[in-house]
Amino acid sequence: MATFYGYKKALKDSVPTQEWLKSILKDGIANIDEHLNKEIDDHNTLAQALSETQRSFVEYTRLGIPVDFTNEGIRGLCASGATSFPSMNGLGCTWNKELAYLEGVVEGKEARALGYTNVYAPILDVPRDQRWGRWEGSIGEDSYLVARIGVAMAKGIQDQKVVSSPKHFVGYGDCKASRQWDARTDPHITPSEMYYIHEYPFRKVFQEAGALGVMCAYNDYDGVPMSGNYHYLTEVLRKEMGFKGYVVSDSYAIGRLNGVHKVTHNFKESGLWALRAGLNVRTEFNDPTEYINNIRELVNEGSLSIERLDDMVRDVLYVKFWLGLFDQPYSGEHKKANNIVASQEHLDIAMRVSRECLVLMKNQNNLLPLGNKYKKNDSGIFFAKKDISDKG
């Protein structure tokens, strides 16, 4: 029901200790995110370290359920020395589905080699305002382009038996005033815009690529935040789009229900909203003990049914079975990772993407250089001289 962020983020230890068996970790955890991804440069050693962490959950927790090791992957796997690609915006500029698929393959192979089994990619937000702070992390402003590149990349990742978890579901790219944090997507976005523009890439990635993960967004729609939105997280995502995996929150998305959106009274009630809506796993850069204990209290109080809790856990287990973790929980290549991660083949693919993402612009009618044909006003904006007064 929760993520435990890795070493130096929430975990205080780089490898399992006896203290883990005195914490909520003794009962297992849905996933561990970004564990040791920037702490160990040698890839064989990193793969071994993740396996030893996994061993703690398989051999020493109450039920022996393996963890899903998640990691970021929006421009290559987020790990020390992994193959680096241009930004998502750069990938979109290639308009090349083959390259998007190959980037997904590289990320999936490198993730598997190191022991990561779930990658938070691709980003499927469709930005509508260039002031938005996450513009460079998006594929583009055309929903069809985002969908086709997204489907190809998700297929590349999942063909390596690694879960693709696109983000951020949904409508995050069209927030009022281009806000990234205090994000609100109110009804100035019509239902048809939500359906044909913002939902469209997710629908295609789930239905065509079979992506088994998704991260919910910070924003609301029509006054209901996505992290507590039953309509979107259950009726649209699962019943209409056919999503079969598990939903994670963006960091602090659950706490925002009371902290930012003010639709709940406290964090405990926010957790109840999220679980009832269909959000499986709370993901945040701190210790999830309070959240887990709140769930236990909600069940004991009768506010949350065991049946609902079982439904949420079942989705997480479905993904872990798909990954094969119950048959082979130790997925890293302890002796081969150094030869797989950032191999010459992978670097050559990254170079292709870097070259094809370049955009050449035609100097129509000798627009450049500007010379003295234009005048700059006090705001630093250039206008044709005949269009502005001396005062700008």
Side-chain angles (χ1 to χ4, degrees):
M1 306 304 297
T3 297
F4 216 120
Y5 267 87
Y7 179 54
K8 290 188 177 180
K9 301 170 183 73
L11 281 175
K12 297 179 181 179
D13 306 296
S14 59
V15 293
T17 68
Q18 287 294 320
E19 292 301 313
W20 288 25
L21 300 180
K22 301 175 185 178
S23 71
I24 60 166
L25 292 173
K26 71 180 185 303
D27 298 315
I29 200 80
N31 56 40
I32 295 182
D33 193 37
E34 299 183 24
H35 188 43
L36 300 172
N37 63 337
K38 298 177 183 178
E39 310 305 325
I40 300 177
D41 294 331
D42 182 79
H43 300 128
N44 287 356
T45 304
L46 176 55
Q48 184 65 45
L50 290 184
S51 288
E52 289 306 311
T53 303
Q54 183 74 282
R55 190 180 308 281
S56 174
F57 290 93
V58 173
E59 297 184 4
Y60 297 106
T61 60
R62 184 169 58 90
L63 297 175
I65 297 174
V67 298
D68 183 10
F69 285 107
T70 55
N71 203 350
E72 294 286 351
I74 58 175
R75 50 173 301 168
L77 185 71
C78 184
S80 180
T83 303
S84 181
F85 288 84
S87 69
M88 277 283 175
N89 198 242
L91 179 62
C93 288
T94 70
W95 289 77
N96 191 324
K97 295 182 290 185
E98 178 207 2
L99 282 182
Y101 175 80
L102 289 175
E103 181 171 337
V105 169
V106 170
E107 290 194 18
K109 283 184 176 180
E110 296 190 356
R112 263 289 174 182
L114 294 174
Y116 299 106
T117 46
N118 191 327
V119 175
Y120 293 139
I123 293 179
L124 299 181
D125 302 315
V126 183
R128 313 304 287 169
D129 189 329
Q130 291 167 334
R131 297 174 300 170
W132 191 47
R134 302 184 90 161
W135 179 278
E136 82 287 348
S138 59
I139 293 169
E141 59 186 337
D142 181 274
S143 57
Y144 181 77
L145 170 65
V146 175
R148 297 332 307 166
I149 295 294
V151 166
M153 187 176 186
K155 283 183 176 179
I157 293 171
Q158 295 217 160
D159 281 354
Q160 312 313 308
K161 212 61 177 178
V162 171
V163 170
S164 167
S165 291
K167 54 185 184 177
H168 308 84
F169 189 81
V170 62
Y172 189 38
D174 201 354
C175 293
K176 275 191 169 185
S178 299
R179 290 175 181 148
Q180 175 180 324
W181 178 247
D182 293 330
R184 302 294 305 278
T185 306
D186 282 333
H188 70 293
I189 306 301
T190 65
S192 62
E193 283 182 88
M194 282 292 284
Y195 185 88
Y196 289 109
I197 295 176
H198 299 290
E199 295 175 32
Y200 179 80
F202 288 95
R203 184 174 292 105
K204 293 300 179 181
V205 167
F206 296 138
Q207 294 178 350
E208 295 183 25
L212 286 174
V214 68
M215 181 182 290
C216 81
Y218 285 140
N219 58 286
D220 67 349
Y221 180 65
D222 200 13
V224 184
M226 286 297 163
S227 54
N229 197 315
Y230 179 83
H231 172 65
Y232 274 102
L233 293 186
T234 297
E235 293 178 338
V236 173
L237 180 63
R238 294 193 183 278
K239 296 180 181 179
E240 192 250 298
M241 294 185 180
F243 177 70
K244 296 180 179 179
Y246 72 86
V247 183
V248 301
S249 69
D250 204 344
S251 187
Y252 191 55
I254 295 176
R256 287 168 58 88
L257 291 172
N258 60 287
V260 175
H261 293 291
K262 310 297 184 183
V263 296
T264 61
H265 294 96
N266 50 54
F267 183 53
K268 182 177 177 179
E269 186 182 359
S270 296
L272 180 61
W273 265 49
L275 290 165
R276 285 177 173 173
L279 200 162
N280 302 89
V281 174
R282 177 259 196 195
T283 300
E284 192 171 330
F285 291 99
N286 55 30
D287 189 321
T289 298
E290 180 185 3
Y291 183 73
I292 296 297
N293 288 336
N294 283 345
I295 293 175
R296 290 167 174 163
E297 290 179 11
L298 289 167
V299 171
N300 291 333
E301 295 166 0
S303 301
L304 180 67
S305 70
I306 283 290
E307 290 75 20
R308 184 55 176 165
L309 203 58
D310 287 344
D311 288 341
M312 295 294 95
V313 173
R314 186 178 296 110
D315 298 328
V316 178
L317 293 178
Y318 177 88
V319 171
K320 292 184 177 183
F321 274 109
W322 182 87
L323 287 167
L325 292 178
F326 289 95
D327 297 318
Q328 177 49 272
Y330 313 111
S331 59
E333 296 283 355
H334 310 156
K335 298 181 180 180
K336 300 179 181 179
N338 283 338
N339 297 325
I340 297 172
V341 178
S343 67
Q344 190 59 53
E345 178 187 3
H346 293 180
L347 295 177
D348 289 344
I349 293 170
M351 179 62 76
R352 279 190 61 194
V353 179
S354 298
R355 286 170 174 162
E356 292 197 25
C357 79
L358 297 175
V359 178
L360 300 179
M361 303 192 68
K362 186 177 181 179
N363 193 15
Q364 189 85 25
N365 299 323
N366 294 314
L367 174 65
L368 299 175
L370 294 176
N372 62 359
K373 293 178 289 185
Y374 297 87
K375 186 173 182 178
K376 184 166 66 172
N377 69 4
D378 293 337
S379 300
I381 301 174
F382 283 92
F383 293 89
K385 282 186 177 181
K386 64 180 181 179
D387 293 335
I388 60 173
S389 67
D390 289 340
K391 294 182 179 180

